[in-house]
Amino acid sequence: MRDILGLVLKRLGLGLVTLLVISVIIFFMVELLPGDLAQAVLGQGATQETVEALRQELGLDRPAVVRYLDWLSGAVVGDFGTSLISGDSVGDAISDRFLNTLFLAAYAAVIAVPLAICLGVLVALLRNSLFDRIANVLTLTSISSPEFFLGYILIFYLAVKTGLFPAISSLSGDMTFGELLERTFLPALTLVLVVTAHMMRMTRAAIINLLASPYIEMARLKGAPPWKVIARHALPNAWAPIINVVALNLAYLITGVVLVEVVFVYPGIGQLLVDAVAKRDFPIVQACCLIFAATFILLNLAADVGAILTNPRLRHPK
Amino acid sequence: MPKAKRALLEISGLKVEGNTGEEWVDIVKGVHLTLRRGEVMGLIGESGAGKSTIGAAAMGYARDGTRISDGSIDFDGIELTTASEGEKRALRGSRIAYVAQSAAASFNPAHRIIDQHTEAPLHYRIKKRLEAQEDAMDLYERLRLPNPREIGFRYPHQVSGGQLQRAMTAMAMACRPDLIIFDEPTTALDVTTQIEVLAAIRDIVDQFDTAAIYITHDLAVVAQMADTIKVLLRGREVEEAPTQEMLDGPKEDYTKSLWAVRSFRRPQKSRPNGSEPLVSVRNVDAAYTGGVKVLDQVSFEIYKGMTVAVVGESGSGKSTAARVITGLLPPTAGEVLFGGDPLPPNYRNRSRDQLRQVQMIYQMADTALNPKVRVNEIIGRPAQFYSGLHGVKLKHRVDELLDLIELEPSRFYDRYPPELSGGQKQRIGIARALAADPTFIICDEVTSALDQLVAEGILKLLDRLQEDLDLSYMFITHDLATVRSIADEVVVMRNGLVVEQGGKEEMFRPPHHPYTDLLLSSVPEMDSNWLTTLLEERGVDNIGDAATV
């Protein structure tokens, strides 16, 4: 067990280093953008003096490295500076939005992950049957349609035609949890449709890959029924690839939801990012990018640890 | 009818087809088999004989890519060829059990051994969990596994191969089946471990009066286990007779050729007078990452034109010694001399000529040859690399090499390895080593994956090449029969130490070092009483000790 803890700590350390490198890239990519930030914020009509004054106020007259270190030391304690447009703290602007995005991601994940794995096991069991083929075609269709298109189709059928769910997922503070679930159902469903196929197909492939193993033949020759062969003998050895794909898709649920948020007017971090880019509100852009990078790193770390924990050779050393 | 006389398993006219990718071809071509309760039948034959397929068919099971196409399989009144999947499944694990060749691969790595053991009894509701576990421990004890009350709670990777094989036999017994199919259960084991497993299997089959089909390619092994022996060749029965009768007087020519196969023996050559050794390994220590020492002060010499067999069980360090000589694993102490001069420890620092002199032939020709490269390129590449041959000269050289290994150049020049048989692939492996024009070749278990007749052909070829080309061989093997046939000198290794070395004749003549004695006496002999006698000599309680020392 101590080996695993050491391994996790090592991975965590490596993740931090990766994050540091990414922060450098994010910061200096923004620096590299053409044009003067103060000029851009103030617009064409600004005088030389006002531009200078804003430059001074933003600290743009200082060298980039100093500003980077300043930004980094703030980011470590959660202070990402202030928004150029509203003048509010970036942390405040982001935190609510990020929580909304996490909620939507969790909502979608709670449905999609069990669904994908159960379907994956089922199609592995019924491989090459009609059910397998239909499931394959449907999930492939959903994965290859753009999410905004899926979103509009769902709105058309489930909101406009039948009126089952609201088309717009605007949130307000005094909603009950039930209302919240109902209001965000359509964007969550869109995300489920997008991510399920990938996870299901990997589950199927990982299981089928093991079916030629001698221990699977042994299980069959011990009289285990087909579902038990799959669920008890193949699945426990197939977790590592499945967990990796699940982690990738969870990361996508958090970082790739921009279009879905726009379609459903959902107040998540993706919308915020799009607005910030349009308005050249760079502190927010930088903070969002850093959060996305951290999300990817953490989820990949979790996948590695998960893969280790499901491997009996590593869990129970000789 | 009295119970003892009734046939438990009656197979008649069994045909099984295999899919080659394009068409279905017969792999079992009409086999009959009758097995009574408590009787053990040995199925013997080379690879491709269909013995394993018949074993699976006895459970009504056809592996992926095969199908039972004709005949009848009657197990205690149930016709398995027409029975439903559910009916057949209900027999498997409960009334017919299976013991596979590699227990390490056939135990599920994700579950504890005892949970896999109790799976069938729990599934069939024969026993409650605790009862089934208690019974498992009892079986582990009968099979003389160490710590029988504890060992089942380990995962398969935490237990040694020989112990796993016994645990698998115990698992087969879990529901007290009427019939067990043993499919080469000791083929992957060392000789010393093989004895424990053979003894354990025989005991348990006797104790519960279970009928068994024992599949193997090793005559001496089947002689210990079976009441009757059936010899198979390419899906057909050659002959069947009670074991002793079969050993004393096989009727068919094919059976006789199998019996005679261990007869190739070459007289021992002695060291050339006054000359330097070609290869000299001096006080070599070696360790893999992690610092575990695998070679400890290993020294031996190989003279020109001679064959030195390095023998030992798995883990004895014999392959590591080869890695040190080839420079793949630089030693932590000691040195390797070649023709009197020290070889750089790492192959990267060796000159092209030094590399050329030392070549290797591997155990698994299947994995050692790139399946996507034509034979002429496999052989031609080292010839080009070491001798700088091109064009017509290169083609001549490849033809010459194919002639040397007795494969017709015009037929084999353009072939791919997957189109070749096991023996032909191994010959290509030999030609590739020869292409460098070496003086010294390391043969790492080159015959252990081959059938006996094919292996003998390879040994004869190697022997002839040694005469013609004045080669020296280091012959790594765990098979003492191979040592007897081809070696001049023998180095016995154990746990990274050389325990005994000397000329072949004196090595096979007592007195031996105790470990050499253990190795020699563990090789099964063609005598149906060999195992019984040996166990009596050693005292039954010592079997486990002998292998765990």
Side-chain angles (χ1 to χ4, degrees):
Chain A
M1 253 353 235
R2 200 187 299 140
D3 294 349
I4 294 177
L5 196 67
L7 208 66
V8 171
L9 289 177
K10 208 169 104 188
R11 284 302 173 90
L12 209 55
L14 278 175
L16 281 177
V17 174
T18 317
L19 199 57
L20 193 71
V21 172
I22 290 171
S23 76
V24 172
I25 295 172
I26 290 170
F27 188 86
F28 288 95
M29 286 295 267
V30 171
E31 282 302 305
L32 283 176
L33 290 179
D36 184 81
L37 189 56
Q39 181 81 59
V41 170
L42 292 172
Q44 293 296 325
T47 62
Q48 193 63 37
E49 289 78 38
T50 49
V51 171
E52 266 316 308
L54 186 61
R55 282 180 66 86
Q56 292 236 326
E57 192 192 319
L58 296 176
L60 290 177
D61 48 345
R62 293 181 301 157
V65 177
V66 176
R67 279 182 288 126
Y68 167 71
L69 291 176
D70 209 31
W71 174 68
L72 187 67
S73 58
V76 169
V77 294
D79 173 15
F80 292 94
T82 52
S83 159
L84 295 183
I85 308 301
S86 64
D88 295 338
S89 147
V90 172
D92 289 347
I94 287 182
S95 58
D96 280 356
R97 294 295 196 114
F98 189 55
L99 283 180
N100 287 344
T101 295
L102 280 183
F103 169 75
L104 187 59
Y107 192 178
V110 164
I111 301 172
V113 174
L115 178 72
I117 291 175
C118 289
L119 274 177
V121 170
L122 207 57
V123 291
L125 189 61
L126 303 172
R127 59 196 173 283
N128 306 329
S129 68
L130 190 64
F131 176 79
D132 182 20
R133 286 189 197 134
I134 290 174
N136 239 325
V137 168
L138 287 184
T139 49
L140 270 182
T141 311
S142 74
I143 205 176
S144 28
S145 328
E147 17 329 19
F148 64 84
F149 177 69
L150 277 179
Y152 285 131
I153 296 219
L154 290 181
I155 289 176
F156 182 71
Y157 284 105
L158 296 182
V160 179
K161 282 224 154 178
T162 56
L164 289 174
F165 297 97
I168 292 179
S169 312
S170 58
L171 304 180
S172 60
D174 54 357
M175 283 193 302
T176 63
F177 191 64
E179 280 176 329
L180 189 66
L181 288 183
E182 192 203 352
R183 187 113 2 139
T184 52
F185 181 73
L186 286 186
L189 184 60
T190 313
L191 288 172
V192 167
L193 288 177
V194 173
V195 296
T196 301
H198 197 191
M199 293 189 283
M200 180 197 95
R201 289 169 67 82
M202 185 47 107
T203 306
R204 177 185 188 275
I207 288 176
I208 288 181
N209 197 20
L210 293 174
L211 291 184
S213 313
Y215 59 81
I216 295 294
E217 173 164 281
M218 192 69 214
R220 288 182 181 145
L221 292 179
K222 279 198 298 185
W227 66 267
K228 216 169 176 182
V229 169
I230 301 276
R232 187 179 142 84
H233 290 276
L235 188 61
N237 294 291
W239 281 125
I242 296 174
I243 287 174
N244 265 304
V245 169
V246 168
L248 271 180
N249 280 286
L250 291 184
Y252 173 82
L253 284 179
I254 295 170
T255 63
V257 292
V258 177
L259 287 172
V260 173
E261 288 183 0
V262 172
V263 167
F264 292 97
V265 204
Y266 182 80
I269 201 169
Q271 280 250 26
L272 182 71
L273 180 63
V274 172
D275 289 347
V277 170
K279 292 175 186 155
R280 294 201 150 211
D281 196 345
F282 292 112
I284 289 186
V285 175
Q286 287 169 333
C288 288
C289 289
L290 206 58
I291 287 175
F292 286 174
T295 308
F296 258 101
I297 289 169
L298 266 180
L299 282 169
N300 273 304
L301 175 81
D304 285 353
V305 174
I308 291 168
L309 288 179
T310 56
N311 184 340
R313 282 166 200 279
L314 296 169
R315 230 177 338 135
H316 307 274
K318 284 198 175 187
Chain B
M1 238 193 291
K3 204 179 172 188
K5 295 276 173 155
R6 212 174 77 208
L8 176 69
L9 178 71
E10 181 96 52
I11 295 179
S12 53
L14 176 69
K15 285 189 181 172
V16 183
E17 294 180 326
N19 196 333
T20 58
E22 289 140 24
E23 49 173 353
W24 290 90
V25 293
D26 283 350
I27 44 181
V28 174
K29 302 160 187 164
V31 166
H32 302 265
L33 186 156
T34 306
L35 189 68
R36 276 167 286 276
R37 280 180 189 277
E39 190 178 66
V40 179
M41 175 176 286
L43 289 186
I44 186 154
E46 300 175 86
S47 49
K51 50 195 193 302
S52 189
T53 311
I54 296 171
M59 308 184 74
Y61 184 77
R63 295 203 163 83
D64 286 346
T66 67
R67 65 181 184 202
I68 296 167
S69 56
D70 198 13
S72 111
I73 305 162
D74 183 303
F75 174 80
D76 205 17
I78 306 166
E79 177 55 48
L80 296 184
T81 49
T82 53
S84 72
E85 251 333 289
E87 285 173 293
K88 283 188 280 185
R89 205 184 302 129
L91 293 176
R92 293 178 193 149
S94 63
R95 298 196 57 200
I96 315 176
Y98 180 75
V99 175
Q101 171 167 3
S102 166
S106 295
F107 268 111
N108 192 326
H111 301 295
R112 293 175 196 279
I113 294 169
I114 203 160
D115 292 337
Q116 303 189 48
H117 182 114
T118 55
E119 187 179 353
L122 291 180
H123 176 72
Y124 291 114
R125 298 175 205 280
I126 292 173
K127 293 190 177 77
K128 297 243 178 340
R129 179 175 296 276
L130 281 178
E131 227 182 305
Q133 287 189 350
E134 207 44 56
D135 182 58
M137 293 174 201
D138 176 50
L139 284 170
Y140 294 155
E141 197 166 351
R142 284 167 188 255
L143 286 162
R144 291 194 288 278
L145 279 162
N147 304 324
R149 301 204 64 80
E150 178 268 330
I151 193 166
F153 294 92
R154 293 196 217 157
Y155 283 84
H157 70 270
Q158 295 171 315
V159 176
S160 78
Q163 292 171 0
L164 270 185
Q165 203 70 49
R166 278 183 279 168
M168 177 159 282
T169 306
M171 182 160 85
M173 279 292 170
C175 296
R176 303 291 185 275
D178 301 310
L179 170 65
I180 303 186
I181 314 292
F182 291 97
D183 194 352
E184 305 249 14
T186 62
T187 305
L189 304 175
D190 285 317
V191 279
T192 48
T193 321
Q194 171 169 279
I195 290 198
E196 315 164 32
V197 177
L198 289 180
I201 291 177
R202 211 173 59 172
D203 280 3
I204 206 98
V205 168
D206 278 354
Q207 281 178 33
F208 294 106
D209 198 27
T210 314
I213 293 181
Y214 196 99
I215 298 164
T216 179
H217 65 274
D218 191 330
L219 287 163
V221 165
V222 84
Q224 315 311 318
M225 309 305 287
D227 303 318
T228 53
I229 295 179
K230 187 190 279 292
V231 183
L232 297 161
L233 173 66
R234 287 188 219 106
R236 286 209 171 80
E237 176 179 329
V238 177
E239 61 178 312
E240 181 187 323
T243 301
Q244 200 55 49
E245 217 171 283
M246 183 72 97
L247 291 176
D248 294 343
K251 290 189 187 68
E252 301 294 322
D253 288 344
Y254 175 70
T255 316
K256 285 177 190 157
S257 76
L258 279 179
W259 263 232
V261 81
R262 285 160 185 258
S263 61
F264 172 63
R265 200 165 295 181
R266 203 197 63 185
Q268 178 185 333
K269 281 182 265 182
S270 51
R271 293 183 175 184
N273 282 334
S275 66
E276 288 272 302
L278 179 69
V279 180
S280 170
V281 178
R282 288 196 185 164
N283 305 326
V284 162
D285 285 0
Y288 285 113
T289 42
V292 185
K293 206 171 187 180
V294 282
L295 291 184
D296 190 356
Q297 292 290 306
V298 168
S299 300
F300 57 88
E301 287 167 344
I302 299 166
Y303 282 79
K304 196 150 180 54
M306 296 185 66
T307 301
V308 173
V310 180
V311 296
E313 299 173 64
S314 44
S316 62
K318 50 195 199 303
S319 287
T320 309
R323 287 171 64 84
V324 168
I325 296 174
T326 53
L328 288 168
L329 181 74
T332 49
E335 59 178 356
V336 178
L337 302 185
F338 192 87
D341 302 320
L343 277 176
N346 192 320
Y347 74 95
R348 288 194 181 86
N349 306 325
R350 294 185 184 177
S351 69
R352 190 170 290 197
D353 194 52
Q354 284 170 329
L355 291 173
R356 183 182 66 79
Q357 302 275 6
V358 181
Q359 294 293 315
M360 275 201 78
I361 307 170
Y362 301 89
Q363 174 176 7
M364 304 297 287
D366 262 333
T367 50
L369 301 179
N370 186 338
K372 302 274 183 200
V373 176
R374 289 177 198 277
V375 163
N376 68 70
E377 224 185 311
I378 292 175
I379 306 176
R381 200 176 286 160
Q384 196 180 357
F385 179 76
Y386 289 112
S387 318
L389 296 174
H390 287 288
V392 185
K393 279 187 181 166
L394 184 63
K395 182 166 187 325
H396 279 311
R397 175 70 178 143
V398 171
D399 286 352
E400 188 184 297
L401 286 163
L402 285 171
D403 270 332
L404 268 177
I405 55 164
E406 296 156 8
L407 293 181
E408 212 176 304
S410 56
R411 275 185 57 209
F412 289 94
Y413 190 83
D414 275 331
R415 305 282 287 278
Y416 288 100
E419 300 167 15
L420 308 179
S421 73
Q424 288 167 343
K425 278 184 234 178
Q426 196 53 285
R427 282 166 191 260
I428 300 298
I430 295 172
R432 178 171 63 183
L434 293 177
D437 199 12
T439 49
F440 174 57
I441 298 182
I442 297 172
C443 306
D444 191 354
E445 303 268 14
V446 289
T447 55
S448 52
L450 302 173
D451 286 320
Q452 290 174 27
L453 285 169
V454 180
E456 174 150 302
I458 296 284
L459 291 182
K460 284 180 176 158
L461 172 69
L462 285 169
D463 188 46
R464 208 202 69 220
L465 291 169
Q466 181 166 49
E467 289 301 316
D468 294 353
L469 305 170
D470 200 19
L471 296 167
S472 307
Y473 294 139
M474 170 174 164
F475 210 97
I476 298 170
T477 183
H478 67 272
D479 180 21
L480 291 158
T482 310
V483 175
R484 246 181 240 261
S485 56
I486 199 165
D488 299 309
E489 293 181 11
V490 184
V491 175
V492 182
M493 289 190 69
R494 184 191 194 192
N495 298 336
L497 290 164
V498 173
V499 294
E500 192 175 11
Q501 53 181 316
K504 170 175 68 174
E505 303 299 345
E506 58 189 272
M507 192 66 70
F508 282 103
R509 202 183 313 122
H512 312 288
H513 178 279
Y515 179 66
T516 314
D517 191 57
L518 177 69
L519 275 184
L520 285 173
S521 64
S522 299
V523 179
E525 284 167 22
M526 297 275 280
D527 164 7
S528 56
N529 288 321
W530 168 80
L531 183 62
T532 317
T533 319
L534 180 81
L535 293 179
E536 277 165 12
E537 271 172 25
R538 287 191 188 171
V540 173
D541 286 350
N542 289 330
I543 311 169
D545 302 343
T548 44
V549 182

